[in-house]
Amino acid sequence: MVCLTVDLIAKSHNHFKKKRGLSLPEYLKTLTHLHFSNKNIEDIGDLSVCRNLTVLYLYDNQISTICNLSFAYNLTHLYMQNNNLTRIENLSNLKKLTKLYLGGNKIAVVEGLNELTELKELHLENQRLASGEKLLFDPMTLRALATFLCVLNISNNNIDDLRDLAPLKELQHFSATDNMLDNIMELEDVLSNWPNLVQMDLSGNPVSKKHKYRDRLIIVCKKLVILDGKEIKELTRQFLINWKASKEAKKNNKHILIPYPLNNFSRNQNQLCDPNYGNTNLNNWMLQPTLKAQRLMLPLNELCCDFALPL
């Protein structure tokens, strides 16, 4: 089993050999970037002497547990994609972490990020999940991420609903390609909560083939610049917004009709003017439209011009 330790760092040609003027302890204290990707590493040993570490590259290894990183108070970037991780854990001390790459693992639940108040980017694409499983999100973690997470990648994780993600109001870049999203109305509801979204990719989802899919999302996302890899021109956005506004205005300004039952024309006009003829009777008299009245489509003043209706 290959374990990442200070001895392994000392033997690396990419690290200590370049700093021959320093002793190993002195060098480890100055180390800021550590490159150990694709080294068949299965475990992380004691690296506490590397107190100034800011970027750690451990992708394409065989690591199954995130451990022994509590010393790394200054760590800002952690690359652990394509390992064998099943949980997100032991990261609470990484207060300065801004970018976390965990794609290509076996993580089923997004959790354990509640205390990472500087986290801006979270990459969780292509989890190797069991058949029928989909990536899930812990509500407490989502609430914690809501005020600072700007980039989220959850592509290819069998996801069929985004409503749990609605609280992530600071999102600017969102990728959820090759999932199972299908409901355009639910999608619009979620996106209406993300006012800062500028780039989004939902290609490979059934919803992307819906009628007017692109037009509807452009209208909802006021700042969106790129959708599914294609640029959105401002002229196009304004045309769609104006078109929707015009359509709604026409819908709200339909001609108001007062139905007039023609089968009651034989009623005595004086009855209508008689104060003893109650309002209840008058309302009943004018309640149901006839087919002929519907066809006439006449406004109120034309229908009632020959009758003195009580005010």
Side-chain angles (χ1 to χ4, degrees):
M1 181 180 74
V2 180
C3 182
L4 178 59
T5 62
V6 293
D7 290 336
L8 187 63
I9 296 173
K11 296 176 183 177
S12 172
H13 294 287
N14 295 327
H15 287 284
F16 186 50
K17 188 175 181 180
K18 295 181 180 180
K19 302 288 184 178
R20 290 183 177 179
L22 299 175
S23 65
L24 179 59
E26 290 173 334
Y27 166 68
L28 293 174
K29 289 179 182 179
T30 65
L31 189 64
T32 59
H33 290 61
L34 195 56
H35 298 261
F36 275 91
S37 58
N38 196 22
K39 301 292 184 183
N40 292 318
I41 294 173
E42 299 178 38
D43 196 13
I44 303 172
D46 183 6
L47 302 175
S48 57
V49 67
C50 305
R51 62 188 68 173
N52 289 310
L53 193 64
T54 59
V55 181
L56 179 57
Y57 296 95
L58 291 174
Y59 58 87
D60 295 337
N61 282 298
Q62 304 297 322
I63 301 171
S64 57
T65 304
I66 302 174
C67 61
N68 293 325
L69 293 179
S70 58
F71 73 93
Y73 300 107
N74 295 307
L75 197 67
T76 60
H77 295 57
L78 178 58
Y79 296 83
M80 295 192 70
Q81 60 268 46
N82 300 325
N83 278 280
N84 292 320
L85 301 174
T86 57
R87 294 189 61 189
I88 304 175
E89 57 187 344
N90 301 321
L91 296 175
S92 58
N93 282 356
L94 309 186
K95 304 298 185 182
K96 295 183 180 181
L97 194 66
T98 60
K99 297 184 180 182
L100 179 59
Y101 294 81
L102 297 174
N105 281 284
K106 301 177 181 179
I107 298 167
V109 181
V110 181
E111 59 185 347
L113 303 173
N114 305 43
E115 299 182 47
L116 303 186
T117 57
E118 296 295 322
L119 191 64
K120 302 297 184 185
E121 295 190 21
L122 179 58
H123 300 263
L124 294 161
E125 70 283 358
N126 304 319
Q127 298 300 317
R128 290 170 282 150
L129 302 173
S131 178
E133 282 191 348
K134 64 179 180 179
L135 186 65
L136 301 176
F137 302 86
D138 171 54
M140 291 184 62
T141 294
L142 289 175
R143 285 196 294 269
L145 296 174
T147 58
F148 44 81
L149 191 68
C150 297
V151 178
L152 178 62
N153 187 347
I154 53 172
S155 296
N156 192 26
N157 284 309
N158 300 324
I159 295 171
D160 56 4
D161 192 341
L162 295 180
R163 285 177 291 183
D164 289 344
L165 303 183
L168 301 178
K169 58 184 179 181
E170 297 301 320
L171 279 185
Q172 298 176 15
H173 294 249
F174 178 65
S175 181
T177 64
D178 301 318
N179 279 296
M180 302 175 68
L181 301 172
D182 188 51
N183 193 316
I184 186 73
M185 295 184 67
E186 288 181 0
L187 183 58
E188 287 177 306
D189 288 341
V190 173
L191 296 179
S192 66
N193 292 285
W194 298 350
N196 299 313
L197 197 65
V198 296
Q199 184 171 334
M200 178 169 61
D201 196 344
L202 299 178
S203 56
N205 284 276
V207 72
S208 65
K209 298 179 181 179
K210 297 281 187 180
H211 181 62
K212 298 291 185 180
Y213 152 80
R214 187 174 177 87
D215 293 350
R216 293 174 69 168
L217 297 195
I218 291 174
I219 292 173
V220 172
C221 304
K222 301 296 190 297
K223 293 185 179 180
L224 198 63
V225 176
I226 298 177
L227 175 59
D228 298 347
K230 297 180 180 179
E231 182 181 359
I232 300 170
K233 295 182 179 180
E234 189 58 29
L235 185 63
T236 300
R237 187 197 313 282
Q238 288 303 319
F239 171 80
L240 291 172
I241 292 174
N242 294 339
W243 173 81
K244 182 181 180 183
S246 175
K247 185 178 180 181
E248 291 179 349
K250 290 180 180 179
K251 181 178 180 181
N252 294 332
N253 290 329
K254 283 185 176 180
H255 197 66
I256 299 175
L257 298 178
I258 302 298
Y260 199 93
L262 299 182
N263 58 353
N264 287 291
F265 275 178
S266 60
R267 285 186 181 272
N268 191 332
Q269 180 180 351
N270 293 329
Q271 278 186 318
L272 292 177
C273 301
D274 186 354
N276 295 323
Y277 195 81
N279 290 334
T280 301
N281 292 332
L282 180 60
N283 290 336
N284 291 336
W285 185 74
M286 299 185 67
L287 184 60
Q288 297 297 327
T290 65
L291 180 59
K292 188 173 182 180
Q294 293 177 18
R295 289 175 178 172
L296 285 174
M297 299 294 285
L298 295 176
L300 177 60
N301 60 348
E302 293 181 25
L303 280 172
C304 304
C305 59
D306 294 328
F307 295 89
L309 294 178
L311 298 177

